[in-house]
Amino acid sequence: MRTFKMGGVHPADKKISKDAAIEKLPIPKTVYISMGQHLGAPAEPCVAPGDKVKVGQLIANATGFVSAPVHSSVSGTVKSIEMVKDLAGKPGKAVVIDVEGDEWVDTIDRSETVVKEITLDKKQIVERIKECGVVGLGGATFPTNVKLSPPPTATPTCVIINGAECEPYLTSDYRVMIEKPDQLLIGGTILMKALGVDKCYIGIEENKPEAIKLLTEKAKEYPGVEVVKLKKKYPQGGEKQLIDAVIGKKVPSMGLPVDTGAVVQNVGTAFAVYEAVQKNKPLFEGIMTVTGDCSKEQRNFVHRVGTPLSFIMEHCGGVPEDAAKIISGGPMMGKAIVNIDAPTLKGTSSILYLTEAQTKRKPESNCIRCGKCVGACPMGLEPYLLNKLGRNNMFDELEAHKVYDCIECGCCSFSCPAYIPLLDTIRQSKAAVMKIMKSRPKK
Amino acid sequence: MNKLIVSPSPHVHGKDNTRRLMGDVIIALLPAVLVSIYFFGLSAIHLVAVSVVACVAIEYLIQKLFFKGKSTIGDLSAIVTGVLLALNLPVCSPWWLILIGAVVAIGIAKMTFGGLGQNLFNPALVARVVLLVSFPILMTGSAFHAPESGYLFGNAPEVVDATSGATPLALVKEQLAKGVAMDEIMKDPNLSYSQMLFARMGGSAGELSAIALLLGFIYLLVRRVIKPYISLSILITVFVFSGLLYLGNPAKFVDPVFNLLTGGLLLGAFFMATDYVTSPMTTKGQIIFGVGIGVITVLIRTFGAYPEGVSFAILIMNSTVPLLNKIQPKRFAKEAQKK
Ligand code: SF4
Ligand code: SF4
């Protein structure tokens, strides 16, 4: 069984919601569709208050190479274009739409039939993915078409679909693998065609045997697609770790993943690619999990982008009394929710409730120099040292010790017996060092 | 709704914490403690109890008087030092000797550097060496005479006679100096391997039983408290190095198995050299550290003035740790080629 070679930790699995089939979440009365759905430049609205829109209609254009268009997730009337606070409480431009009915643009194929034959050619596929606003749904929300247009210096050799879902609790990728195996495999085939490669690996962790079995069986009908069973270890789903695990190649420091030949796409993204290319359906829905040990319900949903998180929480019985922290994403890399009225984004993968006992930080004590953080770091860094250098703002040393290689996986903070919040310091140091490096004149 | 916590990721923490790790070290030391209690009864209990109480009390007092803030004795590290100190002293140590040891270990070697995590040298070993140099008669078995007083409770253990009370290494060294051939010396029943594996009289409390120490070591590995690199590289180095000497001249040099089982080598390799604070962080550093300890140990044992070299070897290598920590771990990948 394959895995990445260096570091990693084993947080408790907790896939409590794994048996809950994906349901359609009701549509709220009003949606707030953010223009900053993706990494890169925010989209620019192309509708005005008072305009009638349909589901799937373009409402904002991409504003640069690394950007993505945004489509309406509902039908109704544009109420306003205003600043709406995101889950961290930071305001950003959003199109607010009052919902009326559920009328879709007629270019979308809404039938249940699985379309296997791929009629678009390489260029058309990338174009369609771009037009449909597909972005990476594994966390970074990087526009997918950009990843499918590698620089001329790199030669892609394979697609890797990330089905590791190594974060505890999250189950949306698992549900897609179980419920939409053909769509996923077709998505993988489309990605191969788009890149002009003939190999597609689907990496799945061993804790999802049903998905491995089903997809291995189904993959026989899809030439070039191979399911790879991976050991359960966090952060297996990290792009660099996954490439190392699946094809044994290392993404160079400060390099691009595609330098190894591999282009990684997450399960949700591959599904969105299928819908965009085969069904002409723009990305305006997302699949997410509502879970947590104290959560009243364990569910997986398809949500319309722009649905307020608080609406979803209410729909699932409300915020549990003993929830002390609500996270969007997994417990290792997710973001703590400050503003529960924030709308969902394309990349929203979960609402996770943690109790005080599970999540409250313990007071920090002296570093006992145990080296556990060094052993846990999947990038081969020295977190204890980066933390010390960071607290003293020693930027040259931080750069010499490759703070910029940190993938912010949190393995170091997770394993430190002295409860030192190593990543807090390292994250800040990394940002500062990256800024210094960027400001340097290029040679 | 309650106020929500909004700290950055990661939002969960692993099971390890300082207290749990220290607790595991204490558990791992129990077999060795029990063996010495089994053989020496009350006087072994006296040794361990006085040492632990003294170490904890001294840490508490120093913390109270000189550092402000919460007491750190809850992290159990003072207890670990207390037990290790006890295992490094002869069973018949009088209370004042133990107390001096505790003052040196906690007061000087640990707290003056700033407490847990800050010290360069292993506290229990510093205490052992200071006592060894200051009270050589009490500390080495070669003239093993228990003082008649100096116990808070219990009595001196049944005093074994001078020869059999000597530590095996000292015994061998003494006989070699007299010109006795090695195979003659080895006929002494006190030097049989079965004696050493299970329980050997003489030496300090923690050197009694190799099996007990090994059990503790395995426990530490299973609980992932330590990695095996340091201990194994010490043992392998000692075995190979002393083995080469032995092959060169079996009449003059002790055989390698004997070297492994005696003189606190196992105690040192399993429990003293693996102390987090005073050993290197990276695997590479740990191996160099272990090999260094192994080489220095054999050199001191064979050519030095003291029969036992482990303590000195570890302390010498402790001083190289800041340097060894300059060795960087293997990074994930090389820098990208500039295009
Ligand atoms: S967060 Fe950064 S420093 Fe910490 S373990 Fe992950 S990669 Fe290493
Ligand atoms: S894990 Fe924590 S205590 Fe251990 S070396 Fe790293 S920072 Fe220090």
Side-chain angles (χ1 to χ4, degrees):
Chain A
M1 212 180 328
R2 297 184 223 177
T3 187
F4 60 98
K5 320 292 176 301
M6 185 180 278
V9 293
H10 297 92
D13 206 19
K14 303 272 191 171
K15 305 280 190 187
I16 328 173
S17 54
K18 77 187 253 290
D19 293 324
I22 302 173
E23 312 160 54
K24 284 205 159 63
L25 187 80
I27 306 172
K29 285 207 177 68
T30 310
V31 293
Y32 305 81
I33 304 178
S34 162
M35 295 295 103
Q37 297 276 347
H38 46 265
L39 200 84
E44 190 51 40
C46 57
V47 289
D51 286 2
K52 293 272 179 209
V53 293
K54 288 182 182 172
V55 179
Q57 184 180 329
L58 182 75
I59 56 169
N61 287 304
T63 54
F65 180 57
V66 182
S67 182
V70 178
H71 300 79
S72 179
S73 59
V74 295
S75 59
T77 312
V78 176
K79 187 176 160 207
S80 60
I81 294 168
E82 57 180 271
M83 301 305 270
V84 170
K85 284 188 183 151
D86 69 3
L87 57 83
K90 210 176 122 215
K93 201 188 272 182
V95 175
V96 183
I97 304 170
D98 281 328
V99 179
E100 292 147 18
D102 189 28
E103 195 185 328
W104 291 42
V105 291
D106 48 21
T107 45
I108 301 175
D109 170 5
R110 294 186 69 183
S111 70
E112 289 293 319
T113 36
V114 176
V115 185
K116 214 172 150 184
E117 197 195 339
I118 304 162
T119 51
L120 300 192
D121 69 15
K122 188 172 153 155
K123 235 179 109 200
Q124 289 168 322
I125 291 174
V126 179
E127 195 51 36
R128 175 69 66 76
I129 288 173
K130 185 177 167 188
E131 279 166 14
C132 285
V134 179
V135 299
L137 301 177
T141 58
F142 194 75
T144 302
N145 61 298
V146 179
K147 258 188 157 180
L148 295 177
S149 322
T153 44
T155 328
T157 54
C158 66
V159 173
I160 299 177
I161 294 184
N162 181 0
E165 204 160 51
C166 59
E167 278 267 16
Y169 294 99
L170 306 191
T171 55
S172 52
D173 286 350
Y174 171 73
R175 289 314 306 178
V176 172
M177 290 191 272
I178 290 281
E179 294 182 38
K180 316 270 181 197
D182 284 299
Q183 291 90 326
L184 180 61
L185 290 160
I186 298 166
T189 312
I190 296 171
L191 289 167
M192 286 196 281
K193 193 166 175 189
L195 285 161
V197 300
D198 52 14
K199 192 76 214 168
C200 171
Y201 301 96
I202 305 181
I204 308 175
E205 282 196 343
E206 60 189 321
N207 61 340
K208 296 178 262 296
E210 302 91 336
I212 295 174
K213 194 163 159 250
L214 180 68
L215 285 171
T216 311
E217 195 52 45
K218 291 249 179 202
K220 288 179 187 150
E221 299 162 34
Y222 298 85
V225 184
E226 183 190 330
V227 173
V228 178
K229 186 174 172 185
L230 302 170
K231 236 176 156 158
K232 187 179 130 40
K233 185 160 80 163
Y234 176 87
Q236 191 87 258
E239 197 164 23
K240 295 178 178 182
Q241 279 61 41
L242 189 69
I243 295 175
D244 180 22
V246 174
I247 60 169
K249 292 205 176 135
K250 305 270 200 297
V251 179
S253 174
M254 299 301 272
L256 293 172
V258 71
D259 290 343
T260 62
V263 173
V264 178
Q265 297 292 353
N266 150 282
V267 161
T269 317
F271 181 62
V273 163
Y274 164 82
E275 293 204 312
V277 175
Q278 303 297 80
K279 298 279 188 175
N280 205 6
K281 183 181 164 196
L283 183 58
F284 56 77
E285 287 180 329
I287 299 166
M288 66 182 293
T289 305
V290 177
T291 185
D293 299 270
C294 62
S295 180
K296 296 203 175 114
E297 293 171 15
Q298 307 293 335
R299 301 173 76 169
N300 294 293
F301 288 113
V302 183
H303 65 91
R304 299 288 174 94
V305 169
T307 305
L309 294 170
S310 49
F311 175 85
I312 305 171
M313 293 171 185
E314 278 316 310
H315 184 69
C316 296
V319 177
E321 285 72 46
D322 44 355
K325 197 177 202 178
I326 313 179
I327 294 157
S328 171
M332 294 299 288
M333 286 185 88
K335 292 202 171 67
I337 297 175
V338 180
N339 168 28
I340 63 164
D341 293 319
T344 59
L345 304 173
K346 292 173 182 175
T348 300
S349 61
S350 83
I351 292 175
L352 166 62
Y353 298 109
L354 294 178
T355 63
E356 183 164 330
Q358 285 175 309
T359 191
K360 184 145 197 228
R361 289 187 176 187
K362 309 250 181 3
E364 163 182 352
S365 53
N366 279 4
C367 168
I368 54 170
R369 313 183 63 75
C370 62
K372 291 204 181 273
C373 52
V374 180
C377 178
M379 297 307 293
L381 303 177
E382 296 146 287
Y384 78 94
L385 183 64
L386 297 177
N387 176 62
K388 213 162 72 186
L389 297 172
R391 286 184 180 182
N392 294 303
N393 294 322
M394 296 165 77
F395 297 121
D396 292 341
E397 317 260 323
L398 281 162
E399 188 179 338
H401 285 90
K402 296 186 132 196
V403 69
Y404 49 80
D405 264 356
C406 170
I407 57 167
E408 305 187 19
C409 64
C411 290
C412 47
S413 301
F414 178 85
S415 46
C416 176
Y419 296 113
I420 302 173
L422 297 160
L423 179 52
D424 288 9
T425 321
I426 296 173
R427 192 184 275 124
Q428 283 172 15
S429 313
K430 177 181 155 186
V433 167
M434 299 278 258
K435 212 169 145 199
I436 295 172
M437 289 168 78
K438 281 210 183 99
S439 70
R440 241 174 247 155
K442 289 221 167 62
K443 274 176 218 140
Chain B
M1 198 172 62
N2 326 339
K3 267 195 117 169
L4 292 177
I5 307 175
V6 287
S7 51
S9 67
H11 306 288
V12 287
H13 191 275
K15 287 192 206 75
D16 278 346
N17 60 58
T18 305
R19 180 205 285 256
R20 189 186 86 92
L21 293 171
M22 295 298 159
D24 270 343
V25 176
I26 296 169
I27 294 173
L29 288 168
L30 280 183
V33 170
L34 291 177
V35 166
S36 75
I37 291 175
Y38 176 77
F39 283 105
F40 294 101
L42 217 49
S43 53
I45 296 177
H46 173 266
L47 170 64
V48 177
V50 173
S51 178
V52 169
V53 170
C55 284
V56 174
I58 291 164
E59 175 155 329
Y60 182 78
L61 286 177
I62 292 180
Q63 180 93 31
K64 261 261 135 86
L65 294 178
F66 298 104
F67 305 140
K68 301 288 166 249
K70 235 181 119 239
S71 167
T72 47
I73 54 171
D75 64 29
L76 306 184
S77 66
I79 300 185
V80 171
T81 304
V83 179
L84 282 175
L85 175 64
L87 293 179
N88 271 291
L89 297 179
V91 178
C92 60
S93 304
W95 65 266
W96 52 267
L97 189 78
I98 309 171
L99 188 63
I100 295 174
V103 169
V104 174
I106 299 284
I108 295 173
K110 181 176 178 186
M111 299 309 270
T112 45
F113 285 85
L116 181 63
Q118 310 287 324
N119 48 299
L120 184 58
F121 297 101
N122 184 314
L125 276 184
V126 172
R128 173 178 160 115
V129 165
V130 166
L131 294 179
L132 195 64
V133 175
S134 320
F135 306 94
I137 314 258
L138 278 171
M139 286 294 292
T140 57
S142 51
F144 190 94
H145 284 292
E148 260 144 48
S149 61
Y151 300 94
L152 295 180
F153 56 85
N155 282 314
E158 283 284 302
V159 175
V160 264
D161 72 65
T163 341
S164 62
T167 67
L169 275 176
L171 203 69
V172 170
K173 208 154 200 173
E174 219 176 271
Q175 300 287 322
L176 272 177
K178 282 187 200 152
V180 186
M182 188 59 78
D183 44 353
E184 278 301 310
I185 304 175
M186 282 297 167
K187 285 187 184 136
D188 187 320
N190 283 301
L191 299 179
S192 81
Y193 287 147
S194 62
Q195 274 275 47
M196 291 183 224
L197 272 180
F198 295 102
R200 182 173 34 77
M201 308 298 162
S204 52
E207 297 169 20
L208 293 172
S209 160
I211 296 278
L213 293 170
L214 191 64
L215 270 180
F217 177 58
I218 292 171
Y219 178 79
L220 289 184
L221 291 182
V222 170
R223 298 279 291 171
R224 294 175 194 269
V225 175
I226 56 168
K227 298 239 173 77
Y229 309 116
I230 296 177
S231 311
L232 291 187
S233 50
I234 295 176
L235 299 183
I236 292 171
T237 307
V238 167
F239 187 80
V240 170
F241 189 18
S242 64
L244 288 177
L245 290 173
Y246 178 72
L247 285 181
N249 188 352
K252 258 197 84 193
F253 296 107
V254 192
D255 82 73
V257 179
F258 186 84
N259 253 319
L260 282 189
L261 295 178
T262 54
L265 184 74
L266 295 181
L267 181 66
F270 293 159
F271 294 101
M272 315 298 287
T274 53
D275 169 27
Y276 288 145
V277 180
T278 56
S279 63
M281 297 266 190
T282 59
T283 309
K284 221 193 244 167
Q286 293 180 347
I287 291 172
I288 299 175
F289 181 73
V291 170
I293 292 173
V295 169
I296 299 173
T297 301
V298 177
L299 285 179
I300 296 180
R301 281 185 178 183
T302 322
F303 306 106
Y306 283 94
E308 296 172 13
V310 198
S311 312
F312 290 102
I314 296 177
L315 288 175
I316 290 170
M317 289 310 287
N318 280 166
S319 68
T320 70
V321 167
L323 197 65
L324 291 176
N325 277 341
K326 294 254 185 288
I327 300 175
Q328 297 177 351
K330 194 167 159 253
R331 305 295 191 201
F332 176 78
K334 292 198 187 59
E335 214 73 27
Q337 299 293 320
K338 292 268 166 337
K339 282 167 192 141

